[in-house]
Amino acid sequence: SSYSQLLAATCLSKLVSRTSNPLPLEQRIDIRNYVLNYLATRPKLAAFVTQALIQLYARITKLGWFDCQKDDYVFRNVIADVTRFLQDSVEHCIIGVTILSQLTNEINQADTTHPLTKHRKIASSFRDSSLFDIFTLSCNLLKQASGKNLNLNDESQHGLLMQLLKLSYNCLNFDFIGTSTDESSDDLCTVQIPTSWRSAFLDSSTLQLFFNLYHSLPPSLSPLVLSCLVQIASVRRSLFNNAERAKFLSHLVDGVKRILANPQCLPDPNNYHEFCRLLARLKSNYQLGELVKVENYPEVIRLIANFTVTSLQHWEFAPNSVHYLLSLWQRLAASVPYVKATEPHLLETYTPEVTKAYITSRLESVHVILRDGLEDPLDDAGLVQQQLDQLSTIGRCEYEKTCALLVQLFDQAAQTYQELLQSTNSSAADVTVQEGRLTWLVYIIGAVIGGRVSFASTDEQDAMDGELVCRVLQLMNLTDSRLAQAGNERLELAMLSFFEQFRKIYIGDQVQKSSKLYRRLSEVLGLNDETMVLSVFIGKIITNLKYWGQCEPITSKTLQLLNDLSLGYPY
């Protein structure tokens, strides 16, 4: 019975794992040999039994890593243990590769029953003695497989490739120096490849192998290939000298260009997500000054911009992946003031396109969400805040264009909103759509004002901020005048977010009172100085407490604003 076999395997795993009264060495060697023979003579066991037996082998090997018998580390001959599987049928090959994959995973994960120091000692020894050989073996087997005409409709051949890719990924995802304790922060990290692995990365054939595999494998396998490429792209900078890094980056960018030029597989959500992660790593690990020197940079940045714009326009597809695209553009835009290279970075051309695509797509989504009863992204405050933080940097690049777009869109939406309120036969749905659009615009205006960097700002930019602030305050006067009849909670929360950003940048001891922003507020709204602007803040706080006392999110954020103001002002 398969279930009896499973029970036996898990009981043995518990036995070999116990810290008190451990099994003697001879017995553990016997169990290890028995498990390998059992797997070799029964390749067609139930999948969960095979998995449990491989887990047992991995556990025995890990815990016995430093055990000696006659000056021989008896549990370290892992590649020799597996070789006989690799020379047999496809089923045996799958078992052999899975053993290596599971073992790499097992040794990489600390368990709670043994001290962390012991875990790191085993992991470091395994890294130095076996891991590179396992990675090389995995790449060689992938090369052999890609050289043959594989029938991927055959379940066993498909399974073999899947396990090989998982093995490669587990090798590249190994915690080489004992730093990755938090699995949730997968991003923007550096893969600390040991110096002894340099040969694999200096040789472009490793990178080429994975790009070729991506183009030749179906979507059931290609996301794993991209996961491996994300890790390869994140190899620590110090592994290379400057010339080697430039060459490596050039091959990487060529591969990305090839994927963008042949995007047939990207509509698959898993491929799309991993590819967005790969694009983000281009900037988290390399400098803009290095990217612009790559031969095909102008073509690649154009393709990436088009891909980003298309992704933003299809806002309902894979919303969680957009974070990586925005983080790429945020980092690119933030680097512009520091680029020393003479080659053009072309970001002044493409960044406004990305900003425009984000803003217009959010506004267009409002109508569709209401019409189809979809989940409103504005309800996910954390996600919206994260995207706005990214947009604040992107929108400040070529700020004149961002402001002109926001002024145009805001004026259109505000005018339509006013007309609908004055009209006797306007539908509630139309009013809600305009309020939704204005909510996004108020959030975005707050974000771009919050993106002001004092050393890089000019009087013209401060005057543009003034244009935007005037419009939001005029809208606030309109919505506040209607609160006795009706109000919109999301729009009020957006206003509070705007006030918070405005306070951080333009209110307090350190702001120059001669700022062009105040001149514009004086011309349009008669707010001549900071004290008058403060009275607007206080008026809004009182209004919110008066009308929104039953709404916990608004009350909480209003009181937070009052608290922040009290800290930023001399009494």
Side-chain angles (χ1 to χ4, degrees), residues 233-397:
S234 312
V235 170
R236 65 184 167 96
R237 293 175 59 81
S238 50
L239 192 69
F240 308 112
N241 63 33
N242 287 349
E244 290 163 350
R245 193 180 310 113
K247 189 178 170 194
F248 182 78
L249 179 59
S250 175
H251 289 303
L252 186 60
V253 169
D254 275 348
V256 166
K257 177 179 164 235
R258 195 172 146 209
I259 291 176
L260 285 167
N262 302 285
Q264 305 85 302
C265 297
L266 289 176
D268 174 77
N270 295 325
N271 272 337
Y272 174 78
H273 184 74
E274 289 302 321
F275 183 64
C276 290
R277 288 183 64 220
L278 177 60
L279 287 178
R281 296 288 168 108
L282 280 181
K283 181 61 190 73
S284 60
N285 233 23
Y286 304 94
Q287 294 162 358
L288 182 54
E290 293 170 327
L291 283 166
V292 295
K293 290 179 180 163
V294 172
E295 187 185 347
N296 292 318
Y297 174 79
E299 174 67 1
V300 170
I301 198 73
R302 182 184 69 78
L303 288 168
I304 292 175
N306 291 346
F307 176 72
T308 307
V309 167
T310 308
S311 297
L312 290 170
Q313 286 166 344
H314 294 86
W315 50 269
E316 69 286 3
F317 177 77
N320 295 335
S321 310
V322 166
H323 160 75
Y324 298 106
L325 293 175
L326 290 177
S327 93
L328 167 69
W329 286 97
Q330 179 189 22
R331 284 160 172 272
L332 288 171
S335 306
V336 169
Y338 309 104
V339 177
K340 302 279 192 293
T342 49
E343 293 82 355
H345 53 67
L346 304 175
L347 293 178
E348 70 285 350
T349 307
Y350 296 116
T351 311
E353 291 180 13
V354 172
T355 307
K356 182 180 180 182
Y358 181 84
I359 297 170
T360 52
S361 62
R362 300 312 107 171
L363 299 190
E364 284 157 14
S365 72
V366 174
H367 164 66
V368 180
I369 286 166
L370 282 169
R371 185 193 65 200
D372 299 346
L374 303 174
E375 210 171 307
D376 194 330
L378 284 169
D379 292 336
D380 186 346
L383 182 73
V384 171
Q385 199 48 57
Q386 189 182 53
Q387 292 185 357
L388 292 175
D389 286 347
Q390 293 169 321
L391 186 75
S392 66
T393 310
I394 301 168
R396 278 270 161 184
C397 190

Side-chain angles (χ1 to χ4, degrees), residues 30-92:
D30 287 345
I31 294 172
R32 191 269 315 263
N33 294 340
Y34 179 79
V35 166
L36 288 172
N37 283 326
Y38 200 86
L39 286 167
T41 51
R42 295 172 178 77
K44 290 194 164 34
L45 285 168
F48 56 86
V49 177
T50 304
Q51 183 61 33
L53 286 168
I54 291 173
Q55 180 66 44
L56 170 58
Y57 168 83
R59 184 62 56 84
I60 289 178
T61 305
K62 176 182 178 176
L63 297 178
W65 193 254
F66 288 108
D67 289 344
C68 278
Q69 190 181 50
K70 298 174 188 166
D71 296 334
D72 178 29
Y73 288 113
V74 279
F75 291 108
R76 292 198 187 180
N77 305 325
V78 286
I79 294 188
D81 289 345
V82 162
T83 304
R84 60 172 171 165
F85 288 93
L86 301 180
Q87 291 166 347
D88 211 321
S89 68
V90 176
E91 283 83 6
H92 283 90

